[in-house]
Amino acid sequence: MTDRRSLRPLSGALAASPTLERLLRDDPLLHVIPTICPSGLRFEGEIDLCSRDLLAAALNEEVQFGIGDLHVDLTSVTFIDVAGIRIMTTAARRLSRDGRRLLLHGMPPCARKVLQLLRWETTPGLMLCIGALQRACSTGSSRMTDRNGTRRL
């Protein structure tokens, strides 16, 4: 389920961030939409040099102020560069320090390949989920692979 009432994040701490609010308003290439079930973020558009500040700010706010695992839906991302993938692995590493995980749903196949080539799929706290975030939420299950590449149901 996606909350489309606004592009502002759900928590008060997120909404209070002037940098994130400015980036949300000013970036035409990437849209950040908070999700409710499960709690996380959905990205739509392109993640590249022009939009990586927005990606970093949104993930940083969720890492700092969020609770539990962070689900990120990339199903509607049309392009992601290596720097964008690196920002996500850095967020996963930070989450793992608190016993939390970054679950990536619907990651484009080319981005998965980059993760494998650079061996970033073994990043602590990173879990690649197969399928869209909404399907995982509505059915109550999702096929996932852990950081060792083992598929889970």
Side-chain angles (χ1 to χ4, degrees):
M1 175 195 251
T2 303
D3 181 6
R4 292 194 172 271
R5 289 175 281 171
S6 73
L7 293 179
R8 296 180 75 170
L10 295 175
S11 77
L14 292 173
S17 170
T19 303
L20 182 57
E21 191 168 321
R22 178 187 54 78
L23 289 167
L24 284 167
R25 184 181 61 245
D26 294 343
D27 195 319
L29 297 178
L30 183 65
H31 299 283
V32 181
I33 302 165
T35 59
I36 297 170
C37 178
S39 179
L41 298 170
R42 178 177 172 170
F43 292 97
E44 295 179 351
E46 300 177 7
I47 300 172
D48 60 9
L49 177 64
C50 297
S51 60
R52 81 173 61 138
D53 288 343
L54 175 56
L55 172 69
L59 289 174
N60 184 52
E61 293 291 323
E62 287 290 332
V63 168
Q64 283 187 300
F65 302 109
I67 298 171
D69 293 340
L70 173 57
H71 293 262
V72 174
D73 186 356
L74 301 170
T75 306
S76 297
V77 170
T78 56
F79 176 81
I80 182 169
D81 65 8
V82 175
I85 297 169
R86 184 64 176 172
I87 289 168
M88 287 186 227
T89 60
T90 300
R93 190 173 287 109
R94 288 177 57 207
L95 285 166
S96 73
R97 292 180 197 145
D98 296 328
R100 298 165 61 199
R101 300 175 298 172
L102 177 68
L103 290 89
L104 299 176
H105 298 264
M107 184 168 228
C110 59
R112 269 182 191 271
K113 188 67 173 172
V114 170
L115 275 171
Q116 292 169 346
L117 289 172
L118 297 174
R119 298 186 187 267
W120 288 347
E121 80 274 11
T122 61
T123 300
L126 184 67
M127 182 164 283
L128 303 177
C129 302
I130 300 172
L133 179 65
Q134 294 149 338
R135 182 173 58 188
C137 181
S138 63
T139 64
S141 66
S142 176
R143 295 186 318 162
M144 294 186 256
T145 59
D146 65 15
R147 62 187 180 128
N148 297 321
T150 306
R151 288 194 176 175
R152 296 180 175 189
L153 295 177

